[in-house]
């Protein structure tokens, strides 16, 4: 924890991933851990310092206020049946050529 209790710092990534993370998560790589922090709305203050408005040292009741970020619903747009990818690509190439000076 940082002195103010509002953020934490990961001092040694290698030790953190090998010894701490396996106790609580099924992750093996640091980027996977940071992705999860982002999914839970933690903010990266600098290289290895993280904070969340409800993740404060000693305030365990606030932990229930932390939730995962809701993922956007997938788009229901479908490719039209008459869509011709090859023709569209050719048209785009022709437009590029005509725009080049």
């Amino acid at each position: 924890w940082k002195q103010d209790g509002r953020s934490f710092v990961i001092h040694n990534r290698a030790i953190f991933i090998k010894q701490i993370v396996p106790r609580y998560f099924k992750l093996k790589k640091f980027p996977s851990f940071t992705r999860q922090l982002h999914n839970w709305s933690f903010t990266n203050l600098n290289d290895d310092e993280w904070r969340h408005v409800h993740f404060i040292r000693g305030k365990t009741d606030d932990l229930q206020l932390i939730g995962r970020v809701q993922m956007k619903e997938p788009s229901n747009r479908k490719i039209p049946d008459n869509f011709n990818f090859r023709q569209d690509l050719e048209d785009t190439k022709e437009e590029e050529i005509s725009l080049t000076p």
Side-chain angles (χ1 to χ4, degrees), residues 4 7 18 22:
D4 67 0
S7 63
K18 285 185 178 182

Side-chain angles (χ1 to χ4, degrees), residues 16-29:
F16 180 76
I17 284 297
K18 285 185 178 182
Q19 295 179 8
I20 307 299
V21 170
R23 293 183 195 171
Y24 307 100
F25 306 97
K26 295 179 183 179
L27 304 171
K28 297 181 193 258
K29 297 180 181 178

Side-chain angles (χ1 to χ4, degrees), residues 31-48:
S32 299
F33 177 74
T34 59
R35 187 171 26 261
Q36 290 302 314
L37 287 175
H38 285 291
N39 287 338
W40 287 89
S41 299
F42 278 77
T43 305
N44 185 229
L45 301 177
N46 58 45
D47 286 342
D48 292 321

Side-chain angles (χ1 to χ4, degrees), residues 1 5 7-8 10 15 21 25 39 42 48-50 60 63-64 66 74 76 80 88 91 94 96-97 99 101:
W1 288 100
S7 63
F8 66 93
I10 300 166
I15 291 172
V21 170
F25 306 97
N39 287 338
F42 278 77
D48 292 321
E49 184 177 354
W50 296 85
T60 55
L63 295 176
Q64 66 186 346
I66 299 174
N76 290 334
D88 191 58
D91 293 345
E94 286 177 18
E96 275 183 16
I97 291 170
L99 291 174

